[in-house]
Amino acid sequence: EVQLVESGGGLVQPGRSLRLSCAASGFTFDDFAMHWVRQAPGKGLEWVSGITWNSGNIGYADSVKGRFTISRDNAKNSLHLQMNSLRAEDTALYYCARGGIESNLDYWGQGTLVTVSS
Amino acid sequence: DIQMTQSPSSLSASVGDRVTITCRASLSIRTYLNWYQQKPGKAPKLLIYAASSLQSGVPSRFSGSGSGTEFTLTISSLQREDFAAYYCQQTYSAPWTFGQGTRVEIK
């Protein structure tokens, strides 16, 4: 059974940093691209970042480019999102999702909540 | 960035109704279009990928169609468990973008 479990969320002050992690199990991790998607309270979905299986291709939403860094550790079946210079508008539930073979997001974690506030 | 526009933003329907949601892309995305369902307090769930392919385990009352810039998600006979929010997503080019969502409510 595919499982994705996010961690690392919490309350952080504007301008500070936070590192999210996603532990993957139930599939061959280094066969798949991985992504982060976020959802602000009461709002829709926003794709944040994605990384191919070998980290050879990485993409970011314009809203986080230059502040967030995605990475993965295939030996540990884990995905990470380093978030720097956090802003109030980064407050959201952050989901880890697997990139399906057909260019989709076929499995999702339950999310970890990031709140940016002074 | 490619803009995705869904309509309507919300709708009220009864059990057994046929429901159609439309998604328009700001430029052609061929068939790089996915549909997700999200229930309150839950993670999104993939329903349809590549515009018209049904994800494994998803009931056959869900169907998708379209190509280029216009796409539809159809629920042929709405069931109680289908009351949720629905999102389209393009994966033709980065950054991937979602529609703003359509909330399907009970009439």
Side-chain angles (χ1 to χ4, degrees), chain A residues 35 37 39 42-47 59-62 65 93 95 99 102-111, chain B residues 1 32 34 36 38 41-46 48-50 55 87 89 91-92 94-100 103:
Chain A
H35 300 262
V37 176
Q39 186 169 36
K43 302 297 184 182
L45 302 171
E46 180 186 17
W47 178 83
Y60 297 98
D62 292 344
K65 201 173 294 183
L93 186 63
Y95 292 104
E102 297 283 350
S103 193
N104 53 47
L105 301 170
D106 62 356
Y107 287 93
W108 299 61
Q110 288 305 303
Chain B
D1 298 359
Y32 287 86
N34 306 310
Y36 300 86
Q38 186 179 33
K42 300 294 187 182
K45 171 187 173 184
L46 177 65
I48 301 285
Y49 62 92
Q55 174 69 351
Y87 295 90
Q89 177 207 28
T91 57
Y92 178 74
W96 290 0
T97 45
F98 289 91
Q100 80 279 17
R103 189 168 304 277

